[in-house]
Amino acid sequence: MKFGLRLRGGLLATLIMFGAPVFAPVGAVFVSSSALAQTVQSISVEGNRRVEVETIRSYFKPGPGGRLDQGAIDDGLKALIETGLFQDVKINRGAGGQIVVSVVENPVIGRIAFEGNKKIKDEQLTAEVQSKARGTFSRAMVQSDTLRIAEIYRRSGRYDVSVTPEIIEQPNNRVDLIFTVNEGAKTGVKSIEFVGNNAFSSYRLRDVIKTHESNLLSFLSSGDIYDPDRVEADRDLIRRFYLKNGFADVQVVAALTEYDPEKKGFNVTFKIEEGQQYRVGTLDFRTSIPNFDASSLRSFSRVNVGSLYNVESVEKSVEDMQIEASRRGYAFAVVRPGGDRNFDAHTVSVVFNIDEGPRTYIERINIRGNTRTRDYVIRREFDLSEGDAYNRALVDRAERRLKNLDYFKSVKITTEPGSSSDRVVLIVDLEEKSTGDFSVSGGYSTTDGALAEVSVSERNLLGRGLFAKASVTYGQYARGYSLSFVEPYLLDYRVALGLDLYQRTQLANNYISYGTKTLGFSPRLGFSLREDLSLQLRYSIYQQEITLPSYLANCNNNQFLADGVTPNPAFNPSPAFSNATGIPLAASTNGLGCYSDGEASLPVRKELANGKTLTSALGYTLTYNTLDNNKNPTDGLLIDFRQDFAGVGGDVSYLKTVADAKYYQSLVSDLVGLVHLQGGILNKVGSTDLRMLDHFQMGPNLVRGFAPNGIGPRDLNPYGTQDALGGTKYWGASLELQMPFWFLPKEVGLKGAVYADAGGLFDYQGPTTWSVTNEMTTTRNSSCTPSTNNPATPGTCTGLVYDNGNVVRSSVGVGLIWASPFGPLRFDYAVPLTKGKNDRVQEFRFGGGTSF
């Protein structure tokens, strides 16, 4: 046995001495015992051009006594290969058994270029690839970069992309790296299907998700591009939608995607198990906290017995209750909802359990990723700070507020253990996004004609959370500019301060004979009283004047000036004046006097003579909003109540009150009902008369089917401009049914509407006489019909002759609503059923605009 061991040992030594190969790693070599005795400094290096000899030697770590053994040599070889600096590394024996490391260095990349890429810029691809100019060339890295570029294109919806790397050798061991990209066509979503949905139609569910089917207008948006992350997020959106509508057992089992080579796009199918729809059977409040009355939190519950079980209402109730408990001194109170299902009655018994939670405090709030936004802008969205009791409801509220700021692509708040077991650290991870906007907008309406606007805005000015906007408008009949500034936290309180400076010019058009110029300034304060209730206080000061061609304001029945002797150079009498006095008509050959070239209504001319008028007013708006979607509501209530008191200085005084309410309700088969009620009243305050310009002017904004300013009191002078005078009181009611076009893809964004409107505008209380021109009011009179040969009866048509318009107007019509990529558009065709004798009708109406 001993002989055998010695023999094997002797044989092994013999093999090593004569260099006979024994199993070893690739590139490695066994060296003799004399070589094993060498030090690192005795290693010889060959083939290196850029990498220093000492750098290569540093990868070989000697053992005890500074000597190299076989393990150190093997480890050094592996380390050199893993650097990526060399194409090949070999270890050989030189003369006298010296270790020789032979290397072939990788080339240096001279430049990196991209060819064929049109949809993604060179700068973006350069930032994504690992290979860099003046860096070391590595084939493994190039292969990884090729896959990365292809993945970027797939994320943008181009699954037919192909990327080919090309290496061009240059002198001095340099190479140019060229990535040739064949982008291919955009890979969109060709169809979206739902399986297992019985309570809601596929058309309705397509409105819930973010992914859309491809259509002719898809080039204007990116919602139809296949994105697996977005599809996965859509599963949660569908689930949340069902949970909000009473389906407590819903499961979105899968989102199946399949590429269709014929359509060159993806088919997406969502498999849904709806379960039963539940209502709230009972509501109870329980607590284990001593001396705490759980039922006192009932008023903070948004869950009502008999209503559909709504998970969102439960979550918001939990948040409100937990915050209220904290305010009462129970900082560690935790509200946990529970529910027992009654499968036979289809009800859920909801229980809110208020218990004492763990006594945990916030040690620090660490904010990461805010390269531009100041820390205090983020921290002020928290209702807690370092040292406070940890309250998950307040943390969730802060996260929601940060998302609503619209400063960040993503917001995520997590916790980490603190320095002790009762301490936590809040980690706020943010990814910022661009908050500046430059837009060029265009639009057209039957009221204002063509209109263009250029605006520049910034939602996060200087990273301080300030909002600023400047815009210039130019159109056929409307022009002006505006400057706006908002400080959302005035003096570090949750009160928004807004400042608006504006100038507007409204030109005469087919609906009014006069133009107006308005220059104003308005500071305002905004308060959020509740999540669904807000208050705005404002002060408005503006200067207004009327513009009118001279030939529409040249009637004057005063033959003499105030002394009764001196002739009045402005004397240009009306027909009634000449007939009443027998004095021949001045500057007229047809018996119409100053009416021969037309004449604006008396209130308009009086406003013109008054010149610039200053209005100073205080006002407020109270808004109640429970809409499920502010842009495309299908359920909820929106109420606005506004009052403005003018007379805080200035030239006019009045009290104007306006109320507007809209109620949306989802009906069957994706139908949405809308009830719209509105009304207003203008009251005279003090001895100052009301101006015509302060009256309400109504048209299709009250009853569709009528022209702008087409409803209400009107000047009846047949040879004048017959301007609308407005009224001090109005009311309106509308019923509308909105429905989708089921035969069209949801992504087209078209809806139809049928409606019935009714309303009235009446009680003009503006100027009716004018002593400067010796004009007075004459009631409506059938004899007020001057003609060439038979001017009006004396005493008529001397001033304002008007119809007070106290008639109920009504209409029925149809509409086409298009949420187009060019902006919201609406077409209406309405037919009046009842109207005033002198109303103006406009059956077709169109309005819309866009930003591009």
Side-chain angles (χ1 to χ4, degrees):
M1 177 67 73
K2 293 180 180 179
F3 176 80
L5 289 173
R6 286 196 297 269
L7 178 63
R8 286 195 294 268
L11 178 61
L12 178 62
T14 303
L15 291 173
I16 293 175
M17 287 179 58
F18 289 95
V22 181
F23 175 78
V26 176
V29 64
F30 282 107
V31 295
S32 66
S33 58
S34 61
L36 290 174
Q38 296 185 49
T39 64
V40 172
Q41 296 301 320
S42 65
I43 296 176
S44 176
V45 179
E46 297 178 349
N48 60 308
R49 304 180 62 181
R50 299 188 311 277
V51 183
E52 299 289 339
V53 171
E54 292 303 322
T55 301
I56 295 175
R57 287 174 175 170
S58 67
Y59 286 92
F60 294 89
K61 308 299 182 182
R67 303 295 180 175
L68 291 173
D69 57 19
Q70 187 65 48
I73 294 174
D74 291 344
D75 291 342
L77 172 64
K78 294 176 182 178
L80 284 173
I81 294 174
E82 290 173 355
T83 62
L85 297 173
F86 309 101
Q87 289 184 18
D88 190 21
V89 181
K90 293 181 179 179
I91 298 179
N92 300 307
R93 282 190 299 112
Q98 184 183 24
I99 298 176
V100 179
V101 180
S102 300
V103 297
V104 179
E105 293 181 346
N106 274 324
V108 174
I109 300 174
R111 69 184 182 96
I112 298 177
F114 303 92
E115 295 181 356
N117 56 311
K118 298 178 181 178
K119 302 301 181 181
I120 301 179
K121 296 181 179 180
D122 287 1
E123 293 79 6
Q124 183 177 350
L125 293 177
T126 301
E128 293 290 341
V129 298
Q130 291 180 311
S131 300
K132 303 295 180 184
R134 295 184 296 278
T136 302
F137 172 82
S138 168
R139 293 185 181 276
M141 189 180 296
V142 171
Q143 184 63 28
S144 174
D145 290 339
T146 302
L147 297 175
R148 176 60 181 160
I149 294 171
E151 179 63 21
I152 293 171
Y153 272 93
R154 291 190 181 99
R155 288 291 179 182
S156 65
R158 297 182 181 274
Y159 277 76
D160 289 336
V161 65
S162 64
V163 183
T164 304
E166 183 180 359
I167 303 167
I168 302 175
E169 295 186 0
Q170 301 292 348
N172 300 320
N173 198 29
R174 291 180 175 270
V175 296
D176 289 343
L177 179 57
I178 312 296
F179 292 98
T180 302
V181 182
N182 181 6
E183 296 181 323
K186 183 176 69 172
T187 310
V189 176
K190 298 303 179 181
S191 70
I192 300 175
E193 301 296 335
F194 300 88
V195 177
N197 55 311
N198 299 314
F200 300 100
S201 68
S202 297
Y203 191 95
R204 179 69 182 93
L205 293 179
R206 288 190 183 99
D207 198 35
V208 175
I209 62 178
K210 300 296 183 183
T211 304
H212 304 304
E213 293 179 355
S214 299
N215 56 69
L216 294 176
L217 299 176
S218 293
F219 66 94
L220 295 171
S221 65
S222 59
D224 70 312
I225 297 174
Y226 174 71
D227 184 343
D229 292 338
R230 182 163 52 201
V231 171
E232 190 62 28
D234 287 338
R235 288 182 62 186
D236 188 59
L237 290 175
I238 296 170
R239 175 178 168 273
R240 297 286 299 180
F241 174 74
Y242 270 92
L243 289 174
K244 190 174 69 172
N245 286 277
F247 292 87
D249 300 324
V250 66
Q251 290 185 4
V252 183
V253 179
L256 305 177
T257 58
E258 181 182 6
Y259 182 75
D260 189 334
E262 294 183 1
K263 297 181 180 179
K264 293 186 176 181
F266 283 88
N267 299 324
V268 180
T269 302
F270 294 97
K271 298 184 70 174
I272 303 170
E273 293 181 1
E274 292 181 332
Q276 300 177 358
Q277 189 178 40
Y278 295 89
R279 292 187 175 272
V280 179
T282 61
L283 184 61
D284 194 14
F285 300 84
R286 301 171 186 172
T287 183
S288 61
I289 302 176
N291 302 321
F292 185 85
D293 183 9
S295 61
S296 65
L297 296 179
R298 185 177 295 272
S299 60
F300 295 91
S301 171
R302 305 189 184 199
V303 180
N304 299 311
V305 175
S307 64
L308 283 176
Y309 177 73
N310 186 333
V311 168
E312 286 190 4
S313 296
V314 172
E315 292 172 347
K316 290 178 180 178
S317 299
V318 168
E319 181 179 300
D320 292 344
M321 291 179 191
Q322 193 160 321
I323 292 173
E324 177 60 22
S326 177
R327 288 173 179 168
R328 296 182 185 181
Y330 298 89
F332 301 101
V334 176
V335 180
R336 296 185 177 92
D340 293 327
R341 296 174 177 82
N342 185 324
F343 297 101
D344 296 329
H346 297 173
T347 60
V348 177
S349 297
V350 179
V351 179
F352 291 102
N353 298 293
I354 303 97
D355 301 313
E356 188 78 19
R359 292 183 171 271
T360 308
Y361 298 87
I362 298 173
E363 183 173 317
R364 293 190 313 278
I365 300 177
N366 292 341
I367 302 173
R368 303 187 301 210
N370 56 318
T371 57
R372 181 167 176 266
T373 306
R374 310 292 179 93
D375 269 16
Y376 74 85
V377 174
I378 299 165
R379 291 180 182 274
R380 69 190 183 188
E381 299 301 328
F382 286 80
D383 290 327
L384 39 72
S385 58
E386 284 91 344
D388 289 348
Y390 175 74
N391 188 317
R392 188 66 218 180
L394 292 177
V395 173
D396 292 341
R397 173 180 285 186
E399 183 172 337
R400 187 169 62 250
R401 286 174 175 171
L402 288 172
K403 290 178 180 179
N404 291 338
L405 289 177
D406 200 24
Y407 300 164
F408 311 104
K409 287 183 180 178
S410 63
V411 178
K412 187 175 182 180
I413 302 179
T414 56
T415 61
E416 292 182 355
S419 58
S420 62
S421 59
D422 63 343
R423 297 287 189 271
V424 295
V425 178
L426 292 184
I427 306 298
V428 185
D429 286 307
L430 307 167
E431 183 181 358
E432 294 197 296
K433 67 179 182 180
S434 174
T435 55
D437 291 308
F438 173 79
S439 71
V440 180
S441 305
Y444 179 85
S445 74
T446 48
T447 304
D448 298 322
L451 190 70
E453 180 185 82
V454 178
S455 66
V456 179
S457 65
E458 172 57 62
R459 300 191 304 276
N460 188 14
L461 185 64
L462 303 176
R464 300 176 182 271
L466 306 174
F467 173 84
K469 180 178 180 180
S471 65
V472 177
T473 303
Y474 191 89
Q476 283 181 274
Y477 306 119
R479 296 162 191 176
Y481 64 84
S482 66
L483 300 172
S484 298
F485 173 84
V486 177
E487 164 57 87
Y489 279 80
L490 181 62
L491 301 177
D492 290 330
Y493 290 98
R494 202 175 294 277
V495 177
L497 169 66
L499 303 174
D500 299 298
L501 175 67
Y502 56 90
Q503 189 275 331
R504 290 194 296 265
T505 300
Q506 180 70 47
L507 304 180
N509 52 50
N510 295 332
Y511 308 107
I512 55 174
S513 65
Y514 55 91
T516 58
K517 292 182 179 180
T518 306
L519 176 63
F521 173 71
S522 177
R524 47 192 164 84
L525 295 175
F527 306 84
S528 180
L529 305 180
R530 280 187 346 205
E531 188 175 356
D532 55 3
L533 188 64
S534 62
L535 173 67
Q536 184 191 86
L537 305 179
R538 60 181 171 273
Y539 170 72
S540 302
I541 181 168
Y542 58 90
Q543 179 181 274
Q544 195 172 39
E545 64 177 321
I546 274 184
T547 59
L548 197 66
S550 58
Y551 67 88
L552 292 181
N554 58 1
C555 274
N556 196 318
N557 289 337
N558 284 322
Q559 186 176 3
F560 301 102
L561 298 180
D563 58 12
V565 177
T566 306
N568 182 7
F571 177 60
N572 189 17
S574 65
F577 177 89
S578 63
N579 285 328
T581 61
I583 298 176
L585 291 171
S588 175
T589 60
N590 58 8
L592 298 179
C594 58
Y595 289 161
S596 60
D597 55 1
E599 194 72 5
S601 300
L602 180 148
V604 177
R605 289 182 281 126
K606 190 171 183 180
E607 292 284 357
L608 178 68
N610 290 338
K612 297 178 180 179
T613 302
L614 186 67
T615 300
S616 176
L618 287 172
Y620 71 91
T621 300
L622 191 63
T623 302
Y624 178 74
N625 186 350
T626 63
L627 297 182
D628 60 343
N629 187 314
N630 287 330
K631 290 185 177 180
N632 185 25
T634 61
D635 186 79
L637 180 64
L638 175 63
I639 300 177
D640 275 335
F641 182 81
R642 305 189 299 274
Q643 280 194 308
D644 288 281
F645 170 70
V648 189
D651 303 320
V652 299
S653 60
Y654 59 77
L655 177 63
K656 183 178 287 188
T657 304
V658 173
D660 189 286
K662 294 179 180 178
Y663 176 67
Y664 293 85
Q665 177 63 56
S666 294
L667 306 175
V668 296
S669 302
D670 303 317
L671 301 182
V672 177
L674 166 62
V675 179
H676 184 193
L677 303 176
Q678 55 181 316
I681 183 169
L682 176 67
N683 295 313
K684 177 180 176 180
V685 176
S687 58
T688 305
D689 292 332
L690 294 174
R691 301 187 307 158
M692 181 204 71
L693 291 179
D694 296 327
H695 283 59
F696 297 111
Q697 297 285 357
M698 292 292 165
N701 55 332
L702 187 67
V703 181
R704 284 163 286 197
F706 291 86
N709 296 1
I711 294 175
R714 180 176 300 277
D715 179 15
L716 299 181
N717 190 329
Y719 287 90
T721 54
Q722 297 189 334
D723 293 295
L725 306 177
T728 59
K729 300 178 181 67
Y730 79 91
W731 65 273
S734 175
L735 294 176
E736 181 169 307
L737 186 65
Q738 299 177 359
M739 68 206 75
F741 293 114
W742 292 278
F743 54 87
L744 292 176
K746 177 73 175 180
E747 291 71 28
V748 175
L750 280 174
K751 291 192 299 184
V754 294
Y755 51 82
D757 296 340
L761 174 67
F762 52 94
D763 197 15
Y764 170 74
Q765 294 184 18
T768 57
T769 62
W770 196 11
S771 59
V772 174
T773 58
N774 195 21
E775 295 180 74
M776 64 187 70
T777 301
T778 306
T779 58
R780 182 176 177 182
N781 193 315
S782 59
S783 64
C784 182
T785 312
S787 64
T788 302
N789 300 320
N790 183 24
T793 304
T796 64
C797 293
T798 58
L800 179 66
V801 184
Y802 70 96
D803 173 11
N804 197 35
N806 195 3
V807 177
V808 175
R809 281 83 175 178
S810 63
S811 68
V812 293
V814 296
L816 181 64
I817 306 168
W818 186 20
S820 77
F822 310 104
L825 303 176
R826 176 152 183 155
F827 306 82
D828 282 298
Y829 181 80
V831 178
L833 300 179
T834 59
K835 60 177 182 171
K837 181 178 180 181
N838 301 288
D839 288 343
R840 303 290 187 264
V841 173
Q842 183 188 74
E843 295 179 342
F844 176 77
R845 185 168 181 257
F846 162 74
T850 185
S851 296
F852 46 88

